[in-house]
Structure formats: C-alpha cells, structure tokens
Amino acid sequence: MMTYAAPLDDLAFLLHRLFAVEKADIPGYDELDPDTTAAVLGEAGKLAASALAPLNRAGDLEGCQFENGVVRAPKGFKSAYDAVCQGGWTALDLDPDYGGQGMPTLMNSLTGEIFAGANMALNMYWGLTHGAYAAIHTHGTPDQKATYLPHFATGDWTGTMNLTEPQCGTDLGLLRTKAEPREDGSYAISGQKIFISAGEHDLSENIIHLVLARIPGAPAGVKGISLFIVPKFLPTEDGEPGPRNGVSCGAIEHKMGIHGNSTCVMNYDEATGFLIGEPHRGLRAMFTMMNEARLAVAIQGLAQAGAALRNAAAYAKDRLQGRALPKPANPEAAADPLIVHPDIRRALMDMRAFVEGGRALIIWDAMLIDRAHHSDAEAEALASLLTPVLKGFLTDKGFATAVEAQQVFGGHGYTEDWPMSQFVRDARITMIYEGANGIQALDLVGRKLAADGGAPMRRFFEEIRTFLREAEGETDAEFKTAFLDPLKSASKDLEAAVMSFMRTGMTNPNTALAGSTDFLHLFGLTCLGYMWARIARAANGETAFDQAKRLTARHYMTRVLPETALRRARIEADPEPLMTMPEEAF
C-alpha cells in the first residue's frame, strides 16, 4: 500500500529558515508568516492524504473508461475533485478580480507538489486549467476573461491545451487544423488533435479547449498559427453552459502511466472558436500556458520522486534481509533491516539529496516568478533561463529517482502488489510531455543562453559569486572546504561549458547541440549545489533535523556534484563520431 504524508517540516525549513520568505521584498510575501504557511500547507497535506492518495492506486488500476464519446474518470475522482474545488485550491494564486485568492505563485507551487505527490493523475485535471487561465488572463479580451476565468477559479470548468496533431508534435509548423472566419467574428475550427490531457471527462460541467489552428491565407510555418478558445458547451449570455459545440473525443490513449487522467484524441468539426490575441500570433499566447505547464511538470517529476523515496525509506527500515558488517545490527532477529546496508543507504541518500535540493530549487524559481509578476525584468529573464533546466533536469532525475526507489524493493518493486511500479510509470511521462527533454536542452543552448546578450546567464553566475563571497566571510574553513569549494568547482565547470559553446557554436553548431543535454544536466547539478550550500549554511543548529540536512549536503557535495566534471568533459568532446556515422549504420 502507498504511504503518503506531505513534507511539511522540510517546507517550513525552506520557507522560513533558508529563504525567510516573510522578509523577502516581494509584494504579498509579508503575509507568508510561519503560522499562515503552516495552516495552508497543513490543510493541503490533510486533503492529499485523506482524499487524493487513497485513490492513486485504484485510479491506476481502473483507468478512465471511454464509451460512445463519453469519458468517465475512475471511481472516487469526482468526489475528490469536488473537495479540492470546495476547498478553494483551484483558485489559490489566481486574480481576485476573477474569483481568485490572490496568493503568490510560490504557494501554488508548494501545494502542487503535495497534490501531485499524492495523486498525479487526478491533480492534472485542475493543474492544466491553471495554465489555460493564465493564457486567457494574459491575452484574452475583457469579455473573454469575464466569461471563462471565474469558472476556472471555482473549478466548475476545466481547461486544456491543444497543440499536437498526428503529423506534428514539436514541429508545429506542420500543423493542419483550420480556422475559417465567420461573419459574427467567430471561427469554424476543423481538424484533429492528439495526446490532449483531460480532453474529455465527467469531473466538470464544461471543458474549455485552447486550440492552435491556421486562418486561411496565414503565413507558412509557425508564424501563421493562431490560438482559439473552443468550449465543449458554448456559454450562454448569462455565462452558463449552453449548446454542445462541434468538438468530440474520438478515443482515449492506452498509456504506460497516469491511467487516471484521460489522454484524448479530440476531433473538431466546424466547432465554434474565438480568437485569443492577434491573428497569426497564437504561439506567443500558447507559450504563456506552455511555460506554466513546464514548471508544473518539473514539480510533477519532483513529486513522484519524493513519494517514491518516502515509500522506499519506509520499506528499507522494515524489510529484514542480510546482516550488517562487521557484526549484526539486531542479533536477536533473523536478519537486519535493509537500511543497515551501505548500498541501500547510498541509494536513499542520492534520492534524498535530489528531492530536498530540488524542492529548494522550485521555491527559489517560484520566488523569481513572483518578482517577475511585479515588473522585475531581471528576475523574469533568470526565471526564463531556468525553465528548461527545471523541466528537463528535475524530470530526468525524478524518473531516475523513482527507478532507484523501486530497486530498493527488489523483486517486490517489480510487482503490482506494491506502489513502486506506478511511481516509475507515472514519472516517465514528465520527461516527454510539454516539450520532450531533448527539446528543453536545445532550447536552453540554442536560445536561452544567448538571450539578451547572455545577461541572464551572467546574472546566474553573479548570484553564485555573491553567495560565495558572503559565505566565505561568515563561515569557518571547514565549511568552506566541505561546501563552498565544491560549489565553486561546479560553477567553473559550468562557465567553461558556456565558453566552449561560445568558441564553437557559431562555426560548428552541431558541437554545441551535441552537448546540449549534458549542459542541461551540468546546469541542474550546479543549481542543486547552490541550493545545498545555502541549506548547509542555514541548518546551523544541533537538532537531528539540522544534522541530517548537513549530512545530506555533504553527501551531495562529495558524491553527486562531482558529476559536473564528467558533463563538462562530454560537452568539450569532439562530436565528429556522432555526426559522421552513416544513417544506414544506425
């Protein structure tokens, strides 16, 4: 059976001892005192443990049911979804002008990890709606905002993102869905979309699809794509669901994981759609939603790793196998628990170092986003730079962590009698959807590094240099050797990789692109090194909690962070064998 409990102690430490959020100069953060955050996160944890987590396994086994165009979510999902909506969790950080609670992005990110860790498939139904809300809030007309946003806030209506078609995934220039103008200003949308998460279900009374399509005469390629709102039921004048629109579900996908979430083939047959923003500028509006979704997926990857770690640690303490060396830990028992064995401890420490460091990184990024929402251009640029790093690194490592946790269970981890298979299967999609991780790496190296003449990357390095200067003046030599020197070394590896791209990128772009995934991981490792150095500095007490933090930080610095040297070597390696292998030899 799956065990779940929200990481409330860790979140409290990160919020109030590491980042001191209530003292941050970010509007609204002065209200995030320890009592307030504990109350909000505590209630989220109770809801996750009592209503969401018990349905995770059942939803995986039952899956979604499709019959005659109707999709039914697994048993219990509707009542759990209603409990989420009634608790106001769908409106936590939304605009109060449209029914939101107006809390910072930070709090939505933290509750997002709690809910996704308890039941990722169920969480997706309202998680995707948040992105649709952002796209309409940013790019919609006043009437569109008034029509859709209050319903999104209550959860009465949910939202989707429709990009992919059978012939085009990443390459949206191949998109074929058409949008024919009508005399009343609406458009007739015709085409087919695939892999649409929560495209059809029975949890909400209406589903609002955001659909990419081409208007006749539009420029070729991605410059000719527009974005449309296509409701399942067309809203009436009083804002309630009206006539059924020409959109239907043709099938649901049979997937490796997230069985409780409906992944649909959506057919548009002259469905009525309403343009968002300007014609042919749809990708700009869609990427408002996409960037939100990528950060949400990063949180999903971390959440699955955290849930898997919790179950693996509990199993390792309980399962009796073998004997500790040089003498038994528990001579009176038939065997010792798995936790005594060095390799099990190595696995658990690797997992812990990733999960707790990644959680800190999510908080730092959310704080940057909240700064950006208040017109901090530097924070916005740095958050943009970090988006592909978080999405790619946290999901790659999140999946690897789920696999490592499964390994702790041995043969039991491979059976469906335990929850570990589901963590692995659910985590796997995070590396693929919202832009496969190879695309994240290409985006990072090909676009984000050079943005604004490299200013965001310089800002990141200055962030680390500032921390190192301050910490070196306030800590002893032992702290410097254990934590600051490894971070300094990793930062130098990252700087060397950037310089390598600058030297070769213009003359031989394949050199840079061949090293893009290694660079993404090098960047992610360095980010976690920065987080762990800060954590070690903040965990300066003598409690068991603080001691465990410092030990985990030391483990990361000595056994994980040195991987940056390997990644740098691979980036600087000659890509000639990779690029000259004849196609027929593959």
Side-chain angles (χ1 to χ4, degrees):
M1 178 181 291
M2 170 186 174
T3 62
Y4 181 78
L8 299 179
D9 289 345
D10 197 35
L11 291 174
F13 166 81
L14 294 172
L15 288 172
H16 302 294
R17 292 180 59 189
L18 178 61
F19 292 106
V21 294
E22 64 272 32
K23 299 176 183 177
D25 58 339
I26 303 173
Y29 274 46
D30 57 336
E31 299 179 6
L32 298 182
D33 59 85
D35 288 342
T36 299
T37 60
V40 173
L41 298 176
E43 287 303 311
K46 290 177 184 177
L47 179 63
S50 64
L52 275 59
L55 297 173
N56 195 44
R57 179 64 173 153
D60 180 61
L61 292 174
E62 180 184 349
C64 293
Q65 306 300 313
F66 175 74
E67 185 178 2
N68 298 325
V70 176
V71 177
R72 294 182 176 84
K75 293 181 181 66
F77 271 39
K78 171 62 174 170
S79 60
Y81 178 78
D82 288 345
V84 169
C85 296
Q86 290 161 10
W89 300 105
T90 54
L92 198 64
D93 66 335
L94 303 185
D95 187 344
D97 288 343
Y98 299 101
Q101 298 181 39
M103 296 195 79
T105 297
L106 172 63
M107 296 306 291
N108 189 65
S109 295
L110 300 184
T111 56
E113 186 203 339
I114 291 171
F115 294 145
N119 193 325
M120 177 174 154
L122 177 54
N123 172 244
M124 288 172 64
Y125 287 101
W126 69 90
L128 287 162
T129 304
H130 193 279
Y133 179 102
I136 296 175
H137 188 273
T138 303
H139 303 283
T141 66
D143 284 346
Q144 288 171 342
K145 294 177 186 180
T147 298
Y148 299 104
L149 299 189
H151 287 291
F152 284 159
T154 62
D156 292 342
W157 296 2
T158 54
T160 73
M161 177 167 48
N162 284 235
L163 291 81
T164 307
E165 299 180 4
Q167 79 289 344
C168 79
T170 300
D171 190 354
L172 291 172
L174 301 176
L175 184 145
R176 295 175 185 166
T177 299
K178 296 179 181 180
E180 297 280 350
R182 289 174 172 162
E183 291 184 0
D184 63 359
S186 68
Y187 290 78
I189 311 298
S190 298
Q192 185 180 79
K193 300 290 184 177
I194 64 171
F195 302 156
I196 308 306
S197 299
E200 176 64 26
H201 56 82
D202 58 353
L203 303 186
S204 64
E205 63 183 20
N206 203 358
I207 303 173
I208 311 303
H209 305 286
L210 269 60
V211 183
L212 289 179
R214 290 187 188 282
I215 299 170
V222 296
K223 294 182 179 180
I225 298 175
S226 302
L227 182 63
F228 299 87
I229 300 172
V230 186
K232 175 181 175 180
F233 294 102
L234 293 168
T236 61
E237 290 186 2
D238 59 1
E240 295 304 313
R244 179 68 187 252
N245 203 358
V247 53
S248 62
C249 177
I252 58 174
E253 303 291 349
H254 301 282
K255 311 182 299 289
M256 176 179 174
I258 53 169
H259 294 153
N261 192 269
S262 54
T263 306
C264 301
V265 175
M266 301 303 299
N267 296 320
Y268 295 87
D269 185 12
E270 296 189 352
T272 298
F274 307 96
L275 180 70
I276 305 180
E278 301 174 31
H280 321 313
R281 299 288 300 276
L283 281 186
R284 177 173 172 268
M286 180 59 83
F287 266 96
T288 298
M289 186 175 187
M290 177 70 80
N291 285 330
E292 275 221 2
R294 286 174 174 172
L295 294 174
V297 170
I299 292 171
Q300 287 180 343
L302 181 73
Q304 293 308 291
L309 167 60
R310 180 177 184 83
N311 283 266
Y315 185 82
K317 295 174 187 177
D318 184 66
R319 174 72 167 172
L320 300 180
Q321 289 288 285
R323 286 298 193 185
L325 297 175
K327 61 181 181 179
N330 187 4
E332 304 303 318
D336 290 329
L338 285 173
I339 194 73
V340 305
H341 301 302
D343 194 58
I344 295 294
R345 286 175 164 261
R346 185 267 319 156
L348 293 173
M349 287 291 278
D350 283 354
M351 289 184 261
R352 178 173 178 146
F354 166 68
V355 169
E356 295 181 8
R359 187 173 291 134
L361 182 58
I362 289 289
I363 293 176
W364 182 47
D365 185 70
M367 293 176 71
L368 290 172
I369 293 171
D370 281 325
R371 288 187 188 278
H373 287 164
H374 295 280
S375 303
D376 187 327
E378 281 196 358
E380 183 176 10
L382 183 53
S384 178
L385 172 69
L386 291 173
T387 294
V389 179
L390 268 67
K391 197 283 182 183
F393 181 72
L394 293 185
T395 60
D396 276 353
K397 295 295 289 184
F399 173 72
T401 297
V403 171
E404 189 78 81
Q406 183 186 39
Q407 188 76 9
V408 170
F409 281 70
H412 292 294
Y414 196 66
T415 71
E416 295 300 330
D417 298 324
W418 295 84
M420 308 314 289
S421 166
Q422 185 182 352
F423 293 134
V424 172
R425 291 184 284 103
D426 286 356
R428 185 65 183 87
I429 187 56
T430 65
M431 302 163 68
I432 298 172
Y433 61 9
E434 311 305 348
N437 286 355
I439 297 299
Q440 304 303 315
L442 295 178
D443 177 51
L444 175 63
V445 171
R447 294 179 61 248
K448 297 297 176 63
L449 279 185
D452 194 18
M457 194 73 229
R458 291 194 298 273
R459 165 84 155 67
F460 176 81
F461 285 128
E462 182 56 33
E463 178 92 20
I464 291 183
R465 282 192 289 267
T466 299
F467 168 77
L468 289 170
R469 284 194 300 269
E470 293 175 353
E472 285 174 343
E474 299 175 6
T475 54
D476 56 25
E478 182 179 353
F479 185 92
K480 178 179 181 296
T481 301
F483 302 110
L484 303 185
D485 287 350
L487 174 59
K488 192 178 299 183
S489 178
S491 182
K492 288 180 179 178
D493 285 335
L494 185 60
E495 289 190 74
V498 173
M499 294 303 296
S500 176
F501 288 152
M502 291 177 63
R503 287 193 304 270
T504 63
M506 294 299 293
T507 58
N508 186 5
N510 285 330
T511 299
L513 299 181
S516 59
T517 291
D518 284 300
F519 183 78
L520 184 147
H521 276 258
L522 172 52
F523 203 156
L525 288 161
T526 305
C527 285
L528 260 62
Y530 176 42
M531 292 298 104
W532 274 114
R534 292 183 64 175
I535 290 168
R537 188 183 179 198
N540 54 9
E542 296 304 319
T543 64
F545 181 94
D546 281 15
Q547 291 175 8
K549 283 291 185 187
R550 291 196 298 272
L551 286 171
T552 308
R554 283 173 51 195
H555 176 86
Y556 184 84
M557 294 298 186
T558 58
R559 297 186 68 97
V560 180
L561 192 55
E563 186 184 329
T564 60
L566 167 65
R567 297 290 180 172
R568 173 184 172 182
R570 291 171 61 160
I571 289 166
E572 295 174 344
D574 184 358
E576 189 267 341
L578 184 152
M579 298 307 301
T580 58
M581 176 72 76
E583 290 183 16
E584 60 271 16
F586 282 94

